[in-house]
Amino acid sequence: YTFTAIPVYEARVQILIEKEATNVVSFKEAVEQNQVTDDYYQTQYRILQSRALARRTIDALKLWDHPQFNPKPDDSLTVRKILLSPVTLLTGWLSPAKPIESPQAEETKTQSRTIDRFLADLTVAPVRNSRLVDVKFESVDATLSAQVANALAKAYIEQNLEFKFLSSKEASDWLGQRLAEQRKQVEASEQAVQRYREKTDSLSLEEKQNIVVQKLGDLNAAVTRAKTERIQKQAAYDQIRTLQNNLASVDTFPAILSNTFIQQQKGELADLQRQQAQLSNKLGSNHPDMIKLSNAIRAAESKIQGEIAKVAQAMHNDYQQSLAQEQSLTAALDQQKADALALNRKGIEYGVLARDAASNRQIFESLMQRTKETGISGELRTSNIRVVDAAETPRAPVTPNTRNNMLLALFAGTTLAVGLAFFFEYLDNRIKSPD
């Protein structure tokens, strides 16, 4: 078998599959895979053994009519076929069955058989505890085995780049559609805000709100001051009205003490009363001088009472003026509160429209930024897969292994020969010696 079997050559290309691609730009790609888990590598191994990649490689090397994959039928019966048929059956039984994907609908029967034979000669062997994977291909042609291994690795890298490009392109197309829709929404929301401004005369609603709030605060403070002033003037007026007929008590009132005319009249009244007291010891009450002094005293007291009445009236008028000012400020405050409430009602609807417009604008800007980033990332031809060792033309076949086969034949032949010798010795019952 060893010297009659057709030698089979195996070429190996070693591929490095990184978990993450090189970050040429700071933003993310359209499709970011979770490459931390081991299922990513299992997926890549299955892709290396996929029918699509096999078809791509066969197309690249134009192997559809190659004898290894599409052999011509040979029905001739030779001695070699008869001798090798048991060995071929035994090899087929002992060799592990490789998983073969179901043929796709667009494949013809000839193409399906070609791809099946191609995948049967392909082996994907991950290197333990590493990110490397060995892709091996067996062929009776040493040069072809190296060409197929290198072509498969190249096709795998190109297909990976195409997947990324298609994902970015699909994402760009989808983002372009969403961007156009979002642009319409932004225009509609901004037009709604503008129409509401024109309808409610709210071209500067934010400034109006600030002015109204500030004016409301000023009016509130003015009303508080007016109310305080009115209470003070009312208390002063009530006090002077109570003390108006009591000259002894009214003299202590601040407004009376600060009145120059009243103080002057009180001084004259004191002189007249002192003169009356001096003359009363000498003259009688009916004396002309005493009568004259009494009339002068009554006139001074009348002037003082009149001036006190004027002071009280002035305080009353001042109180009434403060009360009117308080009522006017209170009415203005109530009106300002009503204006503020009406403006707040406008502001609620305006705020809803403005927030909607701002939200649409923000989404539109995010979509535009993401569209630009996706377009740039789609143009980046970066891959996380590279060839570490390219396949070289093998110098020696992997099968048949002459050395191992010869050792196996020697061991098996010796064992069989010894076994047969003992077996025939056991069957030989002839007498060997006189004993």
PDB file of all heavy atoms in Angstrom, residues 268-290:
ATOM      1  N   GLU A 268     -46.640 132.146  73.667  1.00  0.00           N
ATOM      2  CA  GLU A 268     -47.424 133.350  73.907  1.00  0.00           C
ATOM      3  C   GLU A 268     -48.520 133.095  74.944  1.00  0.00           C
ATOM      4  O   GLU A 268     -48.800 133.943  75.819  1.00  0.00           O
ATOM      5  CB  GLU A 268     -48.038 133.835  72.598  1.00  0.00           C
ATOM      6  CG  GLU A 268     -46.994 134.343  71.597  1.00  0.00           C
ATOM      7  CD  GLU A 268     -47.630 134.762  70.287  1.00  0.00           C
ATOM      8  OE1 GLU A 268     -48.875 134.641  70.185  1.00  0.00           O
ATOM      9  OE2 GLU A 268     -46.907 135.189  69.360  1.00  0.00           O
ATOM     10  N   LEU A 269     -49.130 131.878  74.855  1.00  0.00           N
ATOM     11  CA  LEU A 269     -50.173 131.533  75.809  1.00  0.00           C
ATOM     12  C   LEU A 269     -49.598 131.459  77.220  1.00  0.00           C
ATOM     13  O   LEU A 269     -50.238 131.908  78.203  1.00  0.00           O
ATOM     14  CB  LEU A 269     -50.810 130.196  75.418  1.00  0.00           C
ATOM     15  CG  LEU A 269     -51.905 129.670  76.348  1.00  0.00           C
ATOM     16  CD1 LEU A 269     -53.083 130.662  76.384  1.00  0.00           C
ATOM     17  CD2 LEU A 269     -52.378 128.297  75.891  1.00  0.00           C
ATOM     18  N   ALA A 270     -48.422 130.952  77.349  1.00  0.00           N
ATOM     19  CA  ALA A 270     -47.788 130.853  78.672  1.00  0.00           C
ATOM     20  C   ALA A 270     -47.518 132.238  79.232  1.00  0.00           C
ATOM     21  O   ALA A 270     -47.706 132.505  80.442  1.00  0.00           O
ATOM     22  CB  ALA A 270     -46.500 130.026  78.567  1.00  0.00           C
ATOM     23  N   ASP A 271     -47.053 133.203  78.375  1.00  0.00           N
ATOM     24  CA  ASP A 271     -46.812 134.581  78.830  1.00  0.00           C
ATOM     25  C   ASP A 271     -48.114 135.237  79.286  1.00  0.00           C
ATOM     26  O   ASP A 271     -48.153 135.931  80.324  1.00  0.00           O
ATOM     27  CB  ASP A 271     -46.178 135.412  77.702  1.00  0.00           C
ATOM     28  CG  ASP A 271     -44.747 134.982  77.427  1.00  0.00           C
ATOM     29  OD1 ASP A 271     -44.119 134.375  78.338  1.00  0.00           O
ATOM     30  OD2 ASP A 271     -44.236 135.225  76.298  1.00  0.00           O
ATOM     31  N   LEU A 272     -49.158 135.046  78.482  1.00  0.00           N
ATOM     32  CA  LEU A 272     -50.431 135.652  78.830  1.00  0.00           C
ATOM     33  C   LEU A 272     -50.962 135.060  80.132  1.00  0.00           C
ATOM     34  O   LEU A 272     -51.493 135.798  80.995  1.00  0.00           O
ATOM     35  CB  LEU A 272     -51.468 135.416  77.718  1.00  0.00           C
ATOM     36  CG  LEU A 272     -51.203 136.171  76.401  1.00  0.00           C
ATOM     37  CD1 LEU A 272     -52.183 135.742  75.333  1.00  0.00           C
ATOM     38  CD2 LEU A 272     -51.312 137.692  76.638  1.00  0.00           C
ATOM     39  N   GLN A 273     -50.820 133.785  80.325  1.00  0.00           N
ATOM     40  CA  GLN A 273     -51.291 133.171  81.567  1.00  0.00           C
ATOM     41  C   GLN A 273     -50.451 133.647  82.753  1.00  0.00           C
ATOM     42  O   GLN A 273     -50.974 133.821  83.871  1.00  0.00           O
ATOM     43  CB  GLN A 273     -51.210 131.633  81.429  1.00  0.00           C
ATOM     44  CG  GLN A 273     -52.265 131.060  80.491  1.00  0.00           C
ATOM     45  CD  GLN A 273     -52.109 129.567  80.305  1.00  0.00           C
ATOM     46  OE1 GLN A 273     -51.070 129.008  80.673  1.00  0.00           O
ATOM     47  NE2 GLN A 273     -53.145 128.944  79.715  1.00  0.00           N
ATOM     48  N   ARG A 274     -49.168 133.886  82.547  1.00  0.00           N
ATOM     49  CA  ARG A 274     -48.321 134.384  83.635  1.00  0.00           C
ATOM     50  C   ARG A 274     -48.714 135.818  83.997  1.00  0.00           C
ATOM     51  O   ARG A 274     -48.801 136.197  85.183  1.00  0.00           O
ATOM     52  CB  ARG A 274     -46.842 134.323  83.213  1.00  0.00           C
ATOM     53  CG  ARG A 274     -45.887 134.694  84.359  1.00  0.00           C
ATOM     54  CD  ARG A 274     -44.445 134.484  83.966  1.00  0.00           C
ATOM     55  NE  ARG A 274     -44.063 135.270  82.787  1.00  0.00           N
ATOM     56  CZ  ARG A 274     -43.914 134.803  81.572  1.00  0.00           C
ATOM     57  NH1 ARG A 274     -44.088 133.493  81.345  1.00  0.00           N
ATOM     58  NH2 ARG A 274     -43.580 135.599  80.563  1.00  0.00           N
ATOM     59  N   GLN A 275     -48.999 136.639  82.964  1.00  0.00           N
ATOM     60  CA  GLN A 275     -49.434 138.016  83.223  1.00  0.00           C
ATOM     61  C   GLN A 275     -50.778 138.023  83.958  1.00  0.00           C
ATOM     62  O   GLN A 275     -51.000 138.819  84.893  1.00  0.00           O
ATOM     63  CB  GLN A 275     -49.559 138.788  81.909  1.00  0.00           C
ATOM     64  CG  GLN A 275     -48.223 139.051  81.208  1.00  0.00           C
ATOM     65  CD  GLN A 275     -48.392 139.747  79.874  1.00  0.00           C
ATOM     66  OE1 GLN A 275     -49.502 140.192  79.534  1.00  0.00           O
ATOM     67  NE2 GLN A 275     -47.298 139.835  79.103  1.00  0.00           N
ATOM     68  N   GLN A 276     -51.661 137.139  83.539  1.00  0.00           N
ATOM     69  CA  GLN A 276     -52.972 137.071  84.180  1.00  0.00           C
ATOM     70  C   GLN A 276     -52.831 136.675  85.641  1.00  0.00           C
ATOM     71  O   GLN A 276     -53.527 137.204  86.533  1.00  0.00           O
ATOM     72  CB  GLN A 276     -53.862 136.079  83.440  1.00  0.00           C
ATOM     73  CG  GLN A 276     -55.307 136.033  83.971  1.00  0.00           C
ATOM     74  CD  GLN A 276     -56.117 134.983  83.261  1.00  0.00           C
ATOM     75  OE1 GLN A 276     -55.561 134.021  82.747  1.00  0.00           O
ATOM     76  NE2 GLN A 276     -57.443 135.179  83.258  1.00  0.00           N
ATOM     77  N   ALA A 277     -51.906 135.776  85.924  1.00  0.00           N
ATOM     78  CA  ALA A 277     -51.687 135.332  87.301  1.00  0.00           C
ATOM     79  C   ALA A 277     -51.115 136.468  88.133  1.00  0.00           C
ATOM     80  O   ALA A 277     -51.471 136.634  89.314  1.00  0.00           O
ATOM     81  CB  ALA A 277     -50.756 134.126  87.312  1.00  0.00           C
ATOM     82  N   GLN A 278     -50.238 137.297  87.546  1.00  0.00           N
ATOM     83  CA  GLN A 278     -49.641 138.410  88.291  1.00  0.00           C
ATOM     84  C   GLN A 278     -50.676 139.513  88.585  1.00  0.00           C
ATOM     85  O   GLN A 278     -50.709 140.077  89.685  1.00  0.00           O
ATOM     86  CB  GLN A 278     -48.464 138.988  87.506  1.00  0.00           C
ATOM     87  CG  GLN A 278     -47.264 138.036  87.439  1.00  0.00           C
ATOM     88  CD  GLN A 278     -46.162 138.587  86.551  1.00  0.00           C
ATOM     89  OE1 GLN A 278     -46.327 139.661  85.933  1.00  0.00           O
ATOM     90  NE2 GLN A 278     -45.034 137.859  86.500  1.00  0.00           N
ATOM     91  N   LEU A 279     -51.521 139.782  87.556  1.00  0.00           N
ATOM     92  CA  LEU A 279     -52.484 140.872  87.738  1.00  0.00           C
ATOM     93  C   LEU A 279     -53.690 140.452  88.565  1.00  0.00           C
ATOM     94  O   LEU A 279     -54.429 141.301  89.085  1.00  0.00           O
ATOM     95  CB  LEU A 279     -52.968 141.364  86.366  1.00  0.00           C
ATOM     96  CG  LEU A 279     -51.907 142.082  85.503  1.00  0.00           C
ATOM     97  CD1 LEU A 279     -52.503 142.453  84.147  1.00  0.00           C
ATOM     98  CD2 LEU A 279     -51.411 143.362  86.220  1.00  0.00           C
ATOM     99  N   SER A 280     -53.922 139.168  88.672  1.00  0.00           N
ATOM    100  CA  SER A 280     -55.097 138.714  89.415  1.00  0.00           C
ATOM    101  C   SER A 280     -54.979 139.050  90.905  1.00  0.00           C
ATOM    102  O   SER A 280     -55.988 139.144  91.602  1.00  0.00           O
ATOM    103  CB  SER A 280     -55.297 137.204  89.244  1.00  0.00           C
ATOM    104  OG  SER A 280     -54.162 136.499  89.768  1.00  0.00           O
ATOM    105  N   ASN A 281     -53.741 139.227  91.395  1.00  0.00           N
ATOM    106  CA  ASN A 281     -53.555 139.567  92.792  1.00  0.00           C
ATOM    107  C   ASN A 281     -53.883 141.044  93.039  1.00  0.00           C
ATOM    108  O   ASN A 281     -54.168 141.438  94.173  1.00  0.00           O
ATOM    109  CB  ASN A 281     -52.114 139.291  93.246  1.00  0.00           C
ATOM    110  CG  ASN A 281     -51.797 137.791  93.196  1.00  0.00           C
ATOM    111  OD1 ASN A 281     -52.697 136.982  93.427  1.00  0.00           O
ATOM    112  ND2 ASN A 281     -50.554 137.445  92.892  1.00  0.00           N
ATOM    113  N   LYS A 282     -53.836 141.882  91.993  1.00  0.00           N
ATOM    114  CA  LYS A 282     -54.040 143.329  92.164  1.00  0.00           C
ATOM    115  C   LYS A 282     -55.409 143.760  91.625  1.00  0.00           C
ATOM    116  O   LYS A 282     -56.030 144.668  92.167  1.00  0.00           O
ATOM    117  CB  LYS A 282     -52.959 144.106  91.410  1.00  0.00           C
ATOM    118  CG  LYS A 282     -51.547 143.802  91.925  1.00  0.00           C
ATOM    119  CD  LYS A 282     -50.531 144.564  91.105  1.00  0.00           C
ATOM    120  CE  LYS A 282     -49.098 144.279  91.588  1.00  0.00           C
ATOM    121  NZ  LYS A 282     -48.113 145.009  90.784  1.00  0.00           N
ATOM    122  N   LEU A 283     -55.816 143.105  90.535  1.00  0.00           N
ATOM    123  CA  LEU A 283     -57.031 143.551  89.857  1.00  0.00           C
ATOM    124  C   LEU A 283     -58.100 142.472  89.945  1.00  0.00           C
ATOM    125  O   LEU A 283     -57.800 141.278  90.093  1.00  0.00           O
ATOM    126  CB  LEU A 283     -56.732 143.876  88.391  1.00  0.00           C
ATOM    127  CG  LEU A 283     -55.644 144.921  88.123  1.00  0.00           C
ATOM    128  CD1 LEU A 283     -55.388 145.052  86.625  1.00  0.00           C
ATOM    129  CD2 LEU A 283     -56.045 146.287  88.691  1.00  0.00           C
ATOM    130  N   GLY A 284     -59.298 142.882  89.808  1.00  0.00           N
ATOM    131  CA  GLY A 284     -60.396 141.942  89.832  1.00  0.00           C
ATOM    132  C   GLY A 284     -60.609 141.336  88.452  1.00  0.00           C
ATOM    133  O   GLY A 284     -60.027 141.746  87.454  1.00  0.00           O
ATOM    134  N   SER A 285     -61.517 140.389  88.412  1.00  0.00           N
ATOM    135  CA  SER A 285     -61.745 139.689  87.154  1.00  0.00           C
ATOM    136  C   SER A 285     -62.470 140.555  86.131  1.00  0.00           C
ATOM    137  O   SER A 285     -62.414 140.294  84.936  1.00  0.00           O
ATOM    138  CB  SER A 285     -62.558 138.404  87.406  1.00  0.00           C
ATOM    139  OG  SER A 285     -63.803 138.752  88.043  1.00  0.00           O
ATOM    140  N   ASN A 286     -63.131 141.598  86.596  1.00  0.00           N
ATOM    141  CA  ASN A 286     -63.869 142.453  85.677  1.00  0.00           C
ATOM    142  C   ASN A 286     -63.065 143.669  85.233  1.00  0.00           C
ATOM    143  O   ASN A 286     -63.595 144.553  84.537  1.00  0.00           O
ATOM    144  CB  ASN A 286     -65.173 142.935  86.323  1.00  0.00           C
ATOM    145  CG  ASN A 286     -66.127 141.757  86.573  1.00  0.00           C
ATOM    146  OD1 ASN A 286     -66.165 140.823  85.774  1.00  0.00           O
ATOM    147  ND2 ASN A 286     -66.889 141.833  87.660  1.00  0.00           N
ATOM    148  N   HIS A 287     -61.852 143.720  85.657  1.00  0.00           N
ATOM    149  CA  HIS A 287     -61.026 144.850  85.249  1.00  0.00           C
ATOM    150  C   HIS A 287     -60.758 144.745  83.759  1.00  0.00           C
ATOM    151  O   HIS A 287     -60.606 143.655  83.219  1.00  0.00           O
ATOM    152  CB  HIS A 287     -59.704 144.832  86.048  1.00  0.00           C
ATOM    153  CG  HIS A 287     -58.918 146.086  85.884  1.00  0.00           C
ATOM    154  ND1 HIS A 287     -58.064 146.303  84.848  1.00  0.00           N
ATOM    155  CD2 HIS A 287     -58.879 147.238  86.653  1.00  0.00           C
ATOM    156  CE1 HIS A 287     -57.503 147.491  84.965  1.00  0.00           C
ATOM    157  NE2 HIS A 287     -58.006 148.111  86.092  1.00  0.00           N
ATOM    158  N   PRO A 288     -60.719 145.888  83.075  1.00  0.00           N
ATOM    159  CA  PRO A 288     -60.495 145.844  81.604  1.00  0.00           C
ATOM    160  C   PRO A 288     -59.227 145.113  81.210  1.00  0.00           C
ATOM    161  O   PRO A 288     -59.209 144.390  80.199  1.00  0.00           O
ATOM    162  CB  PRO A 288     -60.444 147.325  81.225  1.00  0.00           C
ATOM    163  CG  PRO A 288     -61.265 148.006  82.276  1.00  0.00           C
ATOM    164  CD  PRO A 288     -61.032 147.273  83.563  1.00  0.00           C
ATOM    165  N   ASP A 289     -58.162 145.298  82.005  1.00  0.00           N
ATOM    166  CA  ASP A 289     -56.913 144.604  81.634  1.00  0.00           C
ATOM    167  C   ASP A 289     -57.067 143.087  81.787  1.00  0.00           C
ATOM    168  O   ASP A 289     -56.546 142.307  80.959  1.00  0.00           O
ATOM    169  CB  ASP A 289     -55.772 145.090  82.540  1.00  0.00           C
ATOM    170  CG  ASP A 289     -55.403 146.552  82.241  1.00  0.00           C
ATOM    171  OD1 ASP A 289     -55.704 147.003  81.106  1.00  0.00           O
ATOM    172  OD2 ASP A 289     -54.798 147.195  83.103  1.00  0.00           O
ATOM    173  N   MET A 290     -57.792 142.667  82.859  1.00  0.00           N
ATOM    174  CA  MET A 290     -57.998 141.239  83.065  1.00  0.00           C
ATOM    175  C   MET A 290     -58.882 140.667  81.947  1.00  0.00           C
ATOM    176  O   MET A 290     -58.643 139.551  81.445  1.00  0.00           O
ATOM    177  CB  MET A 290     -58.667 140.994  84.421  1.00  0.00           C
ATOM    178  CG  MET A 290     -57.740 141.289  85.610  1.00  0.00           C
ATOM    179  SD  MET A 290     -56.337 140.188  85.694  1.00  0.00           S
ATOM    180  CE  MET A 290     -57.174 138.670  86.113  1.00  0.00           C
TER     181      MET A 290
END
